[in-house]
Amino acid sequence: MTSARTRERLVDRLKRQGIADETVLDRIRNVPRHLFVDEALASRAYEDTALPIGQGQTISQPFIVARMTEALIAGGRPEKVLEIGTGCGYQTAVLSPLCGTIYSIERIGAIQRRARRLLRELDIYNVRFKHGDGWKGWPTHAPYDGILVTAAPPNLPEVLLEQLAPGGRLVIPVGPAGRQTLVAYTHQGGQFECEDLGAVSFVPLLQGRT
Ligand code: SAH
């Protein structure tokens, strides 16, 4: 169920859906997604679907993780990346070797502790974690070459654009439940170019931390 053949089938499916970046496809092939979900769900880990990870949260669908990663690195390898919504850490693991350092914020402490442990077991060391509310970004390390948000606010938090370096990209789902769109903003000469990447379904970006 977690064999090379099962993973290859997922990669083929993502290619058919338009994921073309070989470095991204390689990460989908090599990151052991079954370790990021409960054992009871491990047999479904290489299906292209979101799965529960506890506390009402989900591990994102592989297609969406691939799409967001591809959009984030489209302009070249980002040195500093801010990730809002560590969750189980799967997106973090996929992105890890494709950028310099990831600064990752999660509002649920228990979920982030598990992610931190697992990423260390997978020998992923270029991640700095913060247990906190990502609504205001992480100004201390700004500006970022990339910002990836994996939970959806109803409207774009403008402060995130302010933390984007020139040439940097922000990839974020925006909108209320049932009407979210994945959007990529590129910081270009003081302006922000905006690209619509299609309809998505994410858990909401919430206030505060627990
Ligand atoms: N990136 C994960 C998916 C995470 S689901 C993956 O690879 O599968 C979204 C995560 O965002 C949840 O863990 C949720 O707790 C977190 N989240 C929601 N609002 C947040 C906020 N304001 N700040 C930080 N994290 C938040």
Side-chain angles (χ1 to χ4, degrees):
M1 293 300 198
T2 59
S3 68
R5 189 144 33 95
T6 314
R7 296 185 194 198
E8 209 50 47
R9 214 176 294 137
L10 172 61
V11 168
D12 285 343
R13 184 186 162 108
L14 299 193
K15 279 187 194 164
R16 281 198 303 277
Q17 290 180 300
I19 305 298
D21 189 313
E22 284 296 335
T23 61
V24 174
L25 291 168
D26 229 45
R27 290 307 287 158
I28 297 289
R29 189 178 285 121
N30 292 318
V31 174
R33 191 170 185 256
H34 61 280
L35 300 183
F36 289 83
V37 299
D38 282 349
E39 245 171 278
L41 292 170
S43 66
R44 300 190 56 201
Y46 298 95
E47 292 176 15
D48 188 24
T49 174
L51 293 168
I53 57 167
Q55 314 238 13
Q57 303 307 315
T58 53
I59 180 171
S60 299
Q61 181 192 354
F63 172 71
I64 296 297
V65 171
R67 191 83 184 88
M68 291 180 82
T69 309
E70 206 172 49
L72 193 78
I73 67 172
R77 179 187 168 89
E79 189 45 44
K80 279 204 290 183
V81 174
L82 171 65
E83 177 185 53
I84 301 174
T86 318
C88 63
Y90 177 67
Q91 167 74 73
T92 325
V94 168
L95 179 63
S96 155
L98 310 182
C99 67
T101 304
I102 304 177
Y103 297 86
S104 190
I105 309 181
E106 168 60 52
R107 67 180 288 277
I108 304 177
I111 282 188
Q112 194 178 48
R113 275 195 295 281
R114 212 179 337 142
R116 193 192 283 257
R117 214 175 308 129
L118 180 53
L119 292 174
R120 204 177 302 134
E121 278 167 25
L122 295 173
D123 289 332
I124 290 172
Y125 299 114
N126 61 336
V127 186
R128 306 256 315 256
F129 297 93
K130 178 177 170 177
H131 175 211
D133 181 346
W135 269 97
K136 294 200 167 63
W138 192 346
T140 319
H141 304 289
Y144 300 95
D145 306 303
I147 301 180
L148 199 60
V149 187
T150 67
N155 301 296
L156 176 72
E158 298 276 336
V159 68
L160 297 183
L161 292 178
E162 290 162 20
Q163 292 180 24
L164 210 51
R169 283 164 189 265
L170 163 65
V171 182
I172 182 169
V174 178
R179 276 194 295 119
Q180 299 168 359
T181 309
L182 189 61
V183 189
Y185 293 90
T186 307
H187 188 176
Q188 216 58 280
Q191 312 264 30
F192 294 94
E193 274 175 23
C194 174
E195 189 188 350
D196 185 332
L197 300 178
V200 286
S201 177
F202 276 84
V203 297
L205 191 72
L206 300 175
Q207 305 272 356
R209 61 174 215 178
T210 65

